[in-house]
Amino acid sequence: MKRYSPCLFLILVFNIPLFGQQGYEKGEIHDSIPVNGAQKETFALYLPQNFSSQELSSIVFIFDPSARGVAGIEPFIPASEKYGHILICSNNSRNAPYERNFALANNLFNHVFSHFNIKEDEMYASGFSGGSRLASAIASLTNKFAGVVGCGAGFSGIKEHMPAAHDYAYVGLCGNRDMNYKEMVENKGFLNLINFNSTLITFDEEHRWPPQEQILRAFDWLNLQKLKKKKPIPTDKLRAQYVKDYELVKQFRAGERLLFEAEQLERIIKDYKGIWDIDSIETQYTALLKSKLLKKKLAQLGKTLEQERKWVMAWDKQLREDFAQPQKVNWEWWKKELGKLDKLKDKENTEVQNMVYRVRFDLFVRLYSRKNELIHAQSSAQSTFINEFIELLKSN
């Protein structure tokens, strides 16, 4: 496996100019801006209303797995307006080899840093799905970013791309019907184990860019981490964020969203402990953990995640075998398996219903991934197998 030098992007933070780019309206998404010195490479740009070319600005580099600049920027607009972040999203970076994406990112960074005044300590990276893995890889290789917002996927699995003794803060965002939900939950445990400054925000959604309100929650948390480093700590601003955080607890409690309530209480304790007295929050959290309803929910979640692991492993194994020998596919086996899974979604257990959705979507993604690999071999037996399988899933 190719190793990437941590010095890959160092030029980007030592060549910040003293002038800003002119000619782009604030508060609008500008698509297909050419990257200087790079053939057929473009990006989308959003400047917040308070942007000034004469002042240093914070920035968010966004990576969409399908190279959709506008689609990548839209979820971040409220956060951009609240915190003054410039938004940049590549129209070329997509799910592809990291070496290719690193080269595209370098070109994009060099363009941006030669046209905008950027605060070196307020650069953020974010992405969705494969773009999330790319964002964390870039942050880990450079250690020059203040934070990462990873949406719908964790890390690449390559050692050099993993968070370790880095300075950035990491926010995971994941819907509870996202096929990578289990991965993100496990990543939370890993990051807690190595005492990495991180949090995981889960919500009702499937595998797609998070809604704007969830992206804003992520940047509220990142801003809180920045405030906590200031001396003296601006307690008035922390208090305002604390009030907002606890309002969410009350909303989850009123809606009997126990898992979200527990997650939010845990986050508040981690974020504010040592700053002021949060004994009442700890008491609420302890009582919730002891409640029969939450214990039941956690047990259901644990059981369904284990079921999900078994389904995905078995189906992935069979899919690999069938892809290798498409002429020998046992369609009846697949129909029975899909039938077994679909029977589960009629249960009233919400965690089981979420699991069924995740397993089916995981299979869809695996099939479409292979379909894309065969784009230039549409007449092959493998391509026919994939097309028939996709139709089976649509009709089932």
Side-chain angles (χ1 to χ4, degrees), residues 64-70 89-95:
D64 181 86
S66 300
R68 305 167 301 169
V70 173
C89 187
S90 171
N91 281 316
N92 301 92
S93 176
R94 63 175 70 243
N95 285 347

Side-chain angles (χ1 to χ4, degrees), residues 64-131:
D64 181 86
S66 300
R68 305 167 301 169
V70 173
I73 279 181
E74 286 176 339
F76 291 79
I77 290 176
S80 170
E81 291 297 345
K82 182 174 181 178
Y83 293 110
H85 302 323
I86 296 173
L87 304 179
I88 300 283
C89 187
S90 171
N91 281 316
N92 301 92
S93 176
R94 63 175 70 243
N95 285 347
Y98 283 96
E99 187 172 8
R100 173 185 181 274
N101 283 325
F102 287 157
L104 290 169
N106 258 332
N107 292 339
L108 179 61
F109 293 163
N110 286 330
H111 175 101
V112 170
F113 289 123
S114 67
H115 288 81
F116 292 96
N117 297 316
I118 303 300
K119 296 179 182 178
E120 289 189 46
D121 60 347
E122 287 194 47
M123 299 193 301
Y124 300 93
S126 184
F128 166 62
S129 196

Side-chain angles (χ1 to χ4, degrees), residues 267-284:
R267 184 165 25 253
I268 289 175
I269 293 169
K270 185 176 180 181
D271 284 338
Y272 299 99
K273 190 177 181 66
I275 297 176
W276 52 60
D277 184 3
I278 54 168
D279 288 351
S280 63
I281 300 296
E282 292 181 306
T283 300
Q284 292 176 50

Side-chain angles (χ1 to χ4, degrees), residues 65 149 210 233 318 333 361:
V149 180
I233 294 177
Q318 189 60 49
W333 183 87
F361 197 83

Side-chain angles (χ1 to χ4, degrees), residues 118-268:
I118 303 300
K119 296 179 182 178
E120 289 189 46
D121 60 347
E122 287 194 47
M123 299 193 301
Y124 300 93
S126 184
F128 166 62
S129 196
S132 174
R133 303 187 198 282
L134 176 62
S136 59
I138 290 173
S140 294
L141 285 168
T142 64
N143 204 25
K144 297 295 181 181
F145 286 77
V148 171
V149 180
C151 307
F155 312 117
S156 71
I158 299 173
K159 183 178 179 181
E160 292 84 352
H161 299 179
M162 298 290 287
H166 300 103
D167 292 333
Y168 68 86
Y170 179 87
V171 189
L173 288 176
C174 190
N176 54 12
R177 296 189 302 283
D178 192 306
M179 63 184 184
N180 292 324
Y181 175 78
K182 182 175 182 292
E183 173 193 346
M184 296 295 277
V185 171
E186 291 173 347
N187 283 345
K188 174 185 175 181
F190 163 72
L191 293 171
N192 286 341
L193 185 65
I194 64 173
N195 294 316
F196 198 85
N197 187 20
S198 64
T199 195
L200 173 64
I201 297 173
T202 60
F203 46 92
D204 280 320
E205 191 53 90
E206 52 199 64
H207 188 67
R208 62 180 62 177
W209 273 110
Q212 291 180 338
E213 63 267 24
Q214 302 301 337
I215 295 289
L216 184 56
R217 286 180 70 189
F219 279 95
D220 283 344
W221 184 84
L222 287 171
N223 184 63
L224 178 63
Q225 309 316 301
K226 184 179 73 171
L227 293 175
K228 287 163 62 176
K229 292 181 179 179
K230 291 189 175 182
K231 303 296 182 184
I233 294 177
T235 54
D236 55 336
K237 292 182 179 180
L238 258 67
R239 176 65 65 178
Q241 184 59 47
Y242 172 84
V243 170
K244 185 176 180 180
D245 286 339
Y246 191 68
E247 280 299 316
L248 273 176
V249 172
K250 292 191 287 187
Q251 290 177 27
F252 294 143
R253 186 173 297 160
E256 297 183 341
R257 311 307 305 272
L258 300 183
L259 293 177
F260 295 154
E261 180 188 349
E263 179 184 278
Q264 186 69 3
L265 284 170
E266 178 187 33
R267 184 165 25 253
I268 289 175

